[in-house]
Structure formats: structure tokens, C-alpha cells
């Protein structure tokens, strides 16, 4: 398998501007006023966010990078992953800490970055396939909530989201059982 990039665009510049303007007007005229942060992630907004993550004061990205650098190989091995789906992928810089062990383990992999910023996905995709032979990238540009069905047409994304849904149901079941146990004040027999 050779390195390739495909990008499905479900949110183009005109759609972006129309949705941003409508949601901004609605949010700023409501009580309380609201504004979704998704509208900050155009090309310049994505660049600014990447700059913010490099500031000493912004520790979450450093903490995430540290965990992925230290445990990324273990995560890939434990998951048995052959592909990687990332919601809100942005620049995909931290993702490399998972792609490297994924490709080392299997020689080839599929990466599905999903983001509202087309420029971020395209730039990251080109960078990643140049760096990682054997990687196929299938980017999806869209708002996950609004373009859910289109995103689910991608078989890798569908598998990921099905597994995520199953995990969510398992977590709910566990939480229900814990709540019942706490209500009874004892452990089940």
C-alpha cells in the first residue's frame, strides 16, 4: 500500500460562513448569550490554537503528548488497532505519537482525521503521508453533529463510532449497577 490522501468535504467555505453567521446571530441574541468555539477554527483560528498549545501556561497538550509518547505503543498494542480515527483532529501533531507505533506494528495503516477546518486536515494529511510510508489518510471535513451520516459512510469511522457507542452503553450499564449498589447500601450477591 502506498501513501495516499483522500478528503471528503461536507462543509465548504460557503456552508461554513452561512452556518457561522446564523449560529452566531442566534447565540448572541439568546439569553444567556452563547457562541460555539467551533467557529474559531477556520484556518487562522487553527493556527492560533496551535500557537496557544505551545505556551508554557497551556499544559494540557504537553500532558497529552507526554502520555502518548510514554504509552502510545502500549495503547496501540492493547487496542489491536490497524486504523486511527480522530474527531477534531486539527494539526494532527499528537497523532503522530500513535501513528508511528501503529505503522511500526503493521507496516500500513489508515488514519481518518475529522475536523471542521479543511486547511488543517489537508496540511496535516500531506505532512503525514510524506513522513510515514504505508499510511493512507482519508480526511473528513465537516461538523460531526451536522454531517454525522456522511461521516458514518466512512467504514473506518463507522467502526470507531460503533465501538464508541458500545463502550458508552457499557459505561451506562456499569454506572446503573453502581448506583443501585449504592442505593441498597451493599454489594450485590
Amino acid at each position: 500500500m502506498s501513501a495516499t490522501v483522500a478528503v471528503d468535504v461536507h462543509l465548504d467555505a460557503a456552508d461554513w460562513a452561512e452556518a457561522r453567521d446564523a449560529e452566531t446571530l442566534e447565540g448572541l441574541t439568546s439569553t444567556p448569550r452563547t457562541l460555539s468555539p467551533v467557529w474559531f477554527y477556520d484556518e487562522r483560528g487553527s493556527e492560533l490554537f496551535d500557537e496557544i498549545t505551545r505556551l508554557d501556561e497551556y499544559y494540557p497538550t504537553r500532558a497529552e503528548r507526554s502520555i502518548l509518547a510514554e504509552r502510545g505503543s502500549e495503547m496501540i498494542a492493547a487496542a489491536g488497532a490497524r486504523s486511527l480515527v480522530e474527531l477534531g483532529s486539527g494539526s494532527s501533531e499528537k497523532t503522530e505519537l500513535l501513528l508511528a507505533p501503529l505503522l511500526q506494528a503493521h507496516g500500513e495503516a489508515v488514519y481518518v482525521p475529522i475536523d471542521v477546518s479543511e486547511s488543517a486536515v489537508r496540511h496535516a494529511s500531506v505532512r503525514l503521508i510524506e513522513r510515514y510510508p504505508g499510511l493512507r489518510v482519508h480526511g473528513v471535513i465537516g461538523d460531526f453533529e451536522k454531517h454525522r451520516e456522511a461521516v458514518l459512510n466512512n467504514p473506518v469511522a463507522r467502526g470507531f463510532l460503533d465501538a464508541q457507542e458500545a463502550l458508552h452503553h457499557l459505561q451506562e450499564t456499569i454506572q446503573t449497577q453502581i448506583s443501585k449498589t449504592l442505593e441498597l447500601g451493599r454489594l450485590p450477591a
Side-chain angles (χ1 to χ4, degrees):
M1 171 177 70
S2 62
T4 62
V5 172
V7 178
D8 298 335
V9 178
H10 302 287
L11 181 67
D12 65 20
D15 294 334
W16 170 274
E18 183 181 327
R20 179 203 58 219
D21 293 351
E23 287 190 28
T24 299
L25 179 62
E26 180 182 330
L28 294 180
T29 57
S30 67
T31 303
R33 291 186 177 114
T34 62
L35 186 59
S36 172
V38 72
W39 303 118
F40 300 128
Y41 292 98
D42 59 6
E43 184 169 6
R44 182 63 183 135
S46 293
E47 291 169 359
L48 286 171
F49 181 73
D50 283 342
E51 290 176 29
I52 289 168
T53 65
R54 291 181 183 91
L55 296 173
D56 288 339
E57 297 84 0
Y58 192 85
Y59 68 89
T61 300
R62 282 192 311 281
E64 291 167 352
R65 275 194 188 109
S66 174
I67 292 166
L68 292 173
E70 186 175 321
R71 303 285 186 182
S73 295
E74 293 173 45
M75 291 176 188
I76 293 298
R82 291 179 109 31
S83 57
L84 183 61
V85 177
E86 185 174 16
L87 302 175
S89 59
S91 66
S92 302
E93 288 180 9
K94 291 179 296 195
T95 309
E96 292 189 52
L97 297 168
L98 294 174
L99 288 174
L102 181 63
L103 287 161
Q104 185 176 13
H106 302 293
E108 59 185 33
V110 176
Y111 172 51
V112 181
I114 302 171
D115 203 283
V116 295
S117 174
E118 183 173 356
S119 61
V121 169
R122 289 192 184 277
H123 290 133
S125 298
V126 169
R127 185 186 83 248
L128 291 170
I129 64 160
E130 288 174 353
R131 184 163 184 183
Y132 297 104
L135 179 65
R136 285 187 300 137
V137 178
H138 190 142
V140 179
I141 312 307
D143 178 322
F144 179 71
E145 294 301 320
K146 291 186 178 73
H147 303 105
R148 183 176 175 81
E149 287 307 312
V151 169
L152 293 176
N153 285 333
N154 181 303
V156 175
R158 161 71 74 187
F160 168 78
L161 295 168
D162 287 348
Q164 186 180 39
E165 185 175 340
L167 180 60
H168 176 73
H169 289 304
L170 177 61
Q171 288 171 325
E172 285 181 340
T173 301
I174 291 169
Q175 182 60 42
T176 299
Q177 294 305 314
I178 289 171
S179 294
K180 286 180 181 179
T181 300
L182 293 174
E183 286 173 16
L184 295 173
R186 62 182 169 79
L187 295 175

PDB file of all heavy atoms in Angstrom, residues 43-59:
ATOM      1  N   GLU A  43      -8.948  28.644   9.195  1.00  0.00           N
ATOM      2  CA  GLU A  43      -7.508  28.439   9.027  1.00  0.00           C
ATOM      3  C   GLU A  43      -6.696  29.227  10.056  1.00  0.00           C
ATOM      4  O   GLU A  43      -5.821  28.685  10.727  1.00  0.00           O
ATOM      5  CB  GLU A  43      -7.070  28.814   7.601  1.00  0.00           C
ATOM      6  CG  GLU A  43      -5.612  28.519   7.340  1.00  0.00           C
ATOM      7  CD  GLU A  43      -5.223  28.631   5.881  1.00  0.00           C
ATOM      8  OE1 GLU A  43      -6.052  29.040   5.052  1.00  0.00           O
ATOM      9  OE2 GLU A  43      -4.066  28.299   5.579  1.00  0.00           O
ATOM     10  N   ARG A  44      -6.999  30.508  10.213  1.00  0.00           N
ATOM     11  CA  ARG A  44      -6.239  31.333  11.160  1.00  0.00           C
ATOM     12  C   ARG A  44      -6.494  30.899  12.607  1.00  0.00           C
ATOM     13  O   ARG A  44      -5.577  30.861  13.428  1.00  0.00           O
ATOM     14  CB  ARG A  44      -6.570  32.824  10.969  1.00  0.00           C
ATOM     15  CG  ARG A  44      -5.794  33.734  11.885  1.00  0.00           C
ATOM     16  CD  ARG A  44      -4.291  33.663  11.611  1.00  0.00           C
ATOM     17  NE  ARG A  44      -3.571  34.492  12.553  1.00  0.00           N
ATOM     18  CZ  ARG A  44      -2.467  34.122  13.200  1.00  0.00           C
ATOM     19  NH1 ARG A  44      -1.923  32.955  12.963  1.00  0.00           N
ATOM     20  NH2 ARG A  44      -1.898  34.926  14.056  1.00  0.00           N
ATOM     21  N   GLY A  45      -7.740  30.559  12.914  1.00  0.00           N
ATOM     22  CA  GLY A  45      -8.065  30.109  14.258  1.00  0.00           C
ATOM     23  C   GLY A  45      -7.327  28.835  14.626  1.00  0.00           C
ATOM     24  O   GLY A  45      -6.854  28.675  15.757  1.00  0.00           O
ATOM     25  N   SER A  46      -7.196  27.925  13.669  1.00  0.00           N
ATOM     26  CA  SER A  46      -6.451  26.685  13.908  1.00  0.00           C
ATOM     27  C   SER A  46      -4.980  26.987  14.168  1.00  0.00           C
ATOM     28  O   SER A  46      -4.361  26.392  15.052  1.00  0.00           O
ATOM     29  CB  SER A  46      -6.595  25.742  12.708  1.00  0.00           C
ATOM     30  OG  SER A  46      -7.923  25.304  12.595  1.00  0.00           O
ATOM     31  N   GLU A  47      -4.423  27.923  13.404  1.00  0.00           N
ATOM     32  CA  GLU A  47      -3.022  28.318  13.615  1.00  0.00           C
ATOM     33  C   GLU A  47      -2.838  28.930  15.004  1.00  0.00           C
ATOM     34  O   GLU A  47      -1.862  28.624  15.703  1.00  0.00           O
ATOM     35  CB  GLU A  47      -2.586  29.320  12.547  1.00  0.00           C
ATOM     36  CG  GLU A  47      -2.471  28.731  11.151  1.00  0.00           C
ATOM     37  CD  GLU A  47      -2.301  29.794  10.075  1.00  0.00           C
ATOM     38  OE1 GLU A  47      -2.293  31.015  10.394  1.00  0.00           O
ATOM     39  OE2 GLU A  47      -2.184  29.407   8.904  1.00  0.00           O
ATOM     40  N   LEU A  48      -3.769  29.794  15.395  1.00  0.00           N
ATOM     41  CA  LEU A  48      -3.682  30.429  16.717  1.00  0.00           C
ATOM     42  C   LEU A  48      -3.779  29.393  17.836  1.00  0.00           C
ATOM     43  O   LEU A  48      -3.036  29.458  18.818  1.00  0.00           O
ATOM     44  CB  LEU A  48      -4.783  31.477  16.888  1.00  0.00           C
ATOM     45  CG  LEU A  48      -4.580  32.773  16.123  1.00  0.00           C
ATOM     46  CD1 LEU A  48      -5.837  33.632  16.185  1.00  0.00           C
ATOM     47  CD2 LEU A  48      -3.382  33.538  16.661  1.00  0.00           C
ATOM     48  N   PHE A  49      -4.675  28.414  17.677  1.00  0.00           N
ATOM     49  CA  PHE A  49      -4.801  27.389  18.701  1.00  0.00           C
ATOM     50  C   PHE A  49      -3.499  26.600  18.829  1.00  0.00           C
ATOM     51  O   PHE A  49      -3.045  26.316  19.939  1.00  0.00           O
ATOM     52  CB  PHE A  49      -5.970  26.445  18.418  1.00  0.00           C
ATOM     53  CG  PHE A  49      -6.117  25.397  19.480  1.00  0.00           C
ATOM     54  CD1 PHE A  49      -6.607  25.728  20.734  1.00  0.00           C
ATOM     55  CD2 PHE A  49      -5.741  24.091  19.229  1.00  0.00           C
ATOM     56  CE1 PHE A  49      -6.714  24.770  21.733  1.00  0.00           C
ATOM     57  CE2 PHE A  49      -5.849  23.126  20.222  1.00  0.00           C
ATOM     58  CZ  PHE A  49      -6.340  23.457  21.478  1.00  0.00           C
ATOM     59  N   ASP A  50      -2.883  26.259  17.703  1.00  0.00           N
ATOM     60  CA  ASP A  50      -1.607  25.547  17.758  1.00  0.00           C
ATOM     61  C   ASP A  50      -0.548  26.381  18.490  1.00  0.00           C
ATOM     62  O   ASP A  50       0.249  25.843  19.260  1.00  0.00           O
ATOM     63  CB  ASP A  50      -1.116  25.180  16.352  1.00  0.00           C
ATOM     64  CG  ASP A  50      -1.864  23.997  15.783  1.00  0.00           C
ATOM     65  OD1 ASP A  50      -2.495  23.253  16.562  1.00  0.00           O
ATOM     66  OD2 ASP A  50      -1.820  23.814  14.557  1.00  0.00           O
ATOM     67  N   GLU A  51      -0.548  27.697  18.252  1.00  0.00           N
ATOM     68  CA  GLU A  51       0.393  28.572  18.953  1.00  0.00           C
ATOM     69  C   GLU A  51       0.101  28.591  20.454  1.00  0.00           C
ATOM     70  O   GLU A  51       1.031  28.560  21.276  1.00  0.00           O
ATOM     71  CB  GLU A  51       0.330  29.989  18.383  1.00  0.00           C
ATOM     72  CG  GLU A  51       0.914  30.102  16.982  1.00  0.00           C
ATOM     73  CD  GLU A  51       0.755  31.496  16.393  1.00  0.00           C
ATOM     74  OE1 GLU A  51       0.728  32.480  17.166  1.00  0.00           O
ATOM     75  OE2 GLU A  51       0.656  31.590  15.155  1.00  0.00           O
ATOM     76  N   ILE A  52      -1.175  28.630  20.822  1.00  0.00           N
ATOM     77  CA  ILE A  52      -1.559  28.639  22.236  1.00  0.00           C
ATOM     78  C   ILE A  52      -1.076  27.364  22.919  1.00  0.00           C
ATOM     79  O   ILE A  52      -0.577  27.406  24.051  1.00  0.00           O
ATOM     80  CB  ILE A  52      -3.092  28.791  22.381  1.00  0.00           C
ATOM     81  CG1 ILE A  52      -3.512  30.213  22.004  1.00  0.00           C
ATOM     82  CG2 ILE A  52      -3.550  28.443  23.800  1.00  0.00           C
ATOM     83  CD1 ILE A  52      -5.007  30.398  21.836  1.00  0.00           C
ATOM     84  N   THR A  53      -1.197  26.228  22.227  1.00  0.00           N
ATOM     85  CA  THR A  53      -0.803  24.956  22.850  1.00  0.00           C
ATOM     86  C   THR A  53       0.699  24.875  23.116  1.00  0.00           C
ATOM     87  O   THR A  53       1.131  24.021  23.875  1.00  0.00           O
ATOM     88  CB  THR A  53      -1.220  23.743  21.996  1.00  0.00           C
ATOM     89  OG1 THR A  53      -0.509  23.752  20.755  1.00  0.00           O
ATOM     90  CG2 THR A  53      -2.716  23.727  21.753  1.00  0.00           C
ATOM     91  N   ARG A  54       1.469  25.754  22.512  1.00  0.00           N
ATOM     92  CA  ARG A  54       2.921  25.752  22.733  1.00  0.00           C
ATOM     93  C   ARG A  54       3.349  26.688  23.863  1.00  0.00           C
ATOM     94  O   ARG A  54       4.516  26.726  24.233  1.00  0.00           O
ATOM     95  CB  ARG A  54       3.630  26.125  21.435  1.00  0.00           C
ATOM     96  CG  ARG A  54       3.509  25.034  20.380  1.00  0.00           C
ATOM     97  CD  ARG A  54       4.238  25.400  19.093  1.00  0.00           C
ATOM     98  NE  ARG A  54       4.054  24.380  18.095  1.00  0.00           N
ATOM     99  CZ  ARG A  54       3.076  24.365  17.187  1.00  0.00           C
ATOM    100  NH1 ARG A  54       2.195  25.343  17.158  1.00  0.00           N
ATOM    101  NH2 ARG A  54       2.987  23.389  16.315  1.00  0.00           N
ATOM    102  N   LEU A  55       2.405  27.450  24.415  1.00  0.00           N
ATOM    103  CA  LEU A  55       2.718  28.359  25.516  1.00  0.00           C
ATOM    104  C   LEU A  55       2.986  27.573  26.798  1.00  0.00           C
ATOM    105  O   LEU A  55       2.361  26.540  27.050  1.00  0.00           O
ATOM    106  CB  LEU A  55       1.558  29.332  25.768  1.00  0.00           C
ATOM    107  CG  LEU A  55       1.225  30.306  24.642  1.00  0.00           C
ATOM    108  CD1 LEU A  55      -0.049  31.077  24.975  1.00  0.00           C
ATOM    109  CD2 LEU A  55       2.386  31.261  24.400  1.00  0.00           C
ATOM    110  N   ASP A  56       3.906  28.080  27.613  1.00  0.00           N
ATOM    111  CA  ASP A  56       4.209  27.433  28.886  1.00  0.00           C
ATOM    112  C   ASP A  56       2.965  27.309  29.760  1.00  0.00           C
ATOM    113  O   ASP A  56       2.800  26.333  30.492  1.00  0.00           O
ATOM    114  CB  ASP A  56       5.281  28.214  29.653  1.00  0.00           C
ATOM    115  CG  ASP A  56       6.648  28.075  29.009  1.00  0.00           C
ATOM    116  OD1 ASP A  56       6.857  27.107  28.244  1.00  0.00           O
ATOM    117  OD2 ASP A  56       7.502  28.942  29.269  1.00  0.00           O
ATOM    118  N   GLU A  57       2.081  28.304  29.689  1.00  0.00           N
ATOM    119  CA  GLU A  57       0.893  28.320  30.539  1.00  0.00           C
ATOM    120  C   GLU A  57      -0.143  27.271  30.135  1.00  0.00           C
ATOM    121  O   GLU A  57      -1.024  26.939  30.916  1.00  0.00           O
ATOM    122  CB  GLU A  57       0.216  29.709  30.495  1.00  0.00           C
ATOM    123  CG  GLU A  57       1.069  30.821  31.038  1.00  0.00           C
ATOM    124  CD  GLU A  57       2.062  31.390  30.010  1.00  0.00           C
ATOM    125  OE1 GLU A  57       2.092  30.922  28.857  1.00  0.00           O
ATOM    126  OE2 GLU A  57       2.808  32.301  30.385  1.00  0.00           O
ATOM    127  N   TYR A  58      -0.048  26.755  28.921  1.00  0.00           N
ATOM    128  CA  TYR A  58      -1.050  25.803  28.419  1.00  0.00           C
ATOM    129  C   TYR A  58      -0.490  24.390  28.551  1.00  0.00           C
ATOM    130  O   TYR A  58       0.221  23.902  27.699  1.00  0.00           O
ATOM    131  CB  TYR A  58      -1.410  26.120  26.966  1.00  0.00           C
ATOM    132  CG  TYR A  58      -2.629  25.371  26.497  1.00  0.00           C
ATOM    133  CD1 TYR A  58      -3.891  25.881  26.747  1.00  0.00           C
ATOM    134  CD2 TYR A  58      -2.522  24.159  25.847  1.00  0.00           C
ATOM    135  CE1 TYR A  58      -5.023  25.201  26.337  1.00  0.00           C
ATOM    136  CE2 TYR A  58      -3.647  23.466  25.429  1.00  0.00           C
ATOM    137  CZ  TYR A  58      -4.898  23.993  25.680  1.00  0.00           C
ATOM    138  OH  TYR A  58      -6.021  23.316  25.282  1.00  0.00           O
ATOM    139  N   TYR A  59      -0.830  23.733  29.655  1.00  0.00           N
ATOM    140  CA  TYR A  59      -0.243  22.427  29.951  1.00  0.00           C
ATOM    141  C   TYR A  59      -0.991  21.218  29.375  1.00  0.00           C
ATOM    142  O   TYR A  59      -0.393  20.152  29.233  1.00  0.00           O
ATOM    143  CB  TYR A  59      -0.109  22.249  31.458  1.00  0.00           C
ATOM    144  CG  TYR A  59      -1.434  22.133  32.155  1.00  0.00           C
ATOM    145  CD1 TYR A  59      -2.040  20.892  32.320  1.00  0.00           C
ATOM    146  CD2 TYR A  59      -2.100  23.255  32.628  1.00  0.00           C
ATOM    147  CE1 TYR A  59      -3.278  20.786  32.928  1.00  0.00           C
ATOM    148  CE2 TYR A  59      -3.331  23.150  33.235  1.00  0.00           C
ATOM    149  CZ  TYR A  59      -3.916  21.919  33.380  1.00  0.00           C
ATOM    150  OH  TYR A  59      -5.130  21.820  33.978  1.00  0.00           O
TER     151      TYR A  59
END
